[in-house]
Amino acid sequence: MASTGNMKGFYRQRKTTATKKSSKKSPIPTVIQTPATSSGGRNQDLQSECNESEVVLRQFDLNMAYGPCLGIARLARWERAQRLGLNPPQEIESLLKSGKVQMESLWGGRI
């Protein structure tokens, strides 16, 4: 049988030394101005319009009330929800039929 010796010798404790935490703040990443991010007239308007459309479509993708969005295009999902009587928003249909947005869902090609 093992002897019941001094456990302190077996599991040596090490004292932690107090280290000074530097008050140096990490640098904040800067945004590089490119033609897509700079305020450049028509390009900026087009980008903001696409962003607003994509935000609405992403919310449609994340809303499970209209069924799963994996493995199906956005328009096909909208049409399926319409057939099943789930009443998807007409705004989504008009955005998808305009052709100015991505037809794949938020998860398309990622999973």
Side-chain angles (χ1 to χ4, degrees):
M1 192 166 219
S3 66
T4 57
N6 188 0
M7 292 300 285
K8 288 184 179 180
F10 188 74
Y11 294 109
R12 294 188 75 177
Q13 292 184 357
R14 295 184 184 165
K15 293 184 178 181
T16 58
T17 58
T19 59
K20 289 185 178 180
K21 291 185 179 181
S22 64
S23 63
K24 190 186 255 187
K25 293 182 180 179
S26 62
I28 299 172
T30 58
V31 176
I32 299 172
Q33 292 293 323
T34 63
T37 59
S38 65
S39 58
R42 186 177 180 329
N43 190 17
Q44 184 71 21
D45 294 339
L46 182 62
Q47 183 183 7
S48 66
E49 180 181 317
C50 289
N51 286 340
E52 291 172 11
S53 304
E54 279 298 317
V55 167
V56 171
L57 289 172
R58 286 179 184 200
Q59 289 181 1
F60 174 70
D61 290 342
L62 295 174
N63 191 344
M64 292 305 294
Y66 307 114
C69 65
L70 293 176
I72 189 168
R74 285 174 167 165
L75 185 58
R77 181 172 180 245
W78 187 91
E79 290 170 346
R80 182 186 63 196
Q82 185 70 25
R83 276 192 321 268
L84 295 174
L86 300 176
N87 300 324
Q90 294 295 323
E91 177 186 9
I92 302 297
E93 180 188 25
S94 61
L95 284 173
L96 293 172
K97 289 188 176 180
S98 72
K100 296 179 183 178
V101 294
Q102 290 182 348
M103 296 306 285
E104 284 190 7
S105 71
L106 174 65
W107 310 108
R110 294 184 184 179
I111 298 178

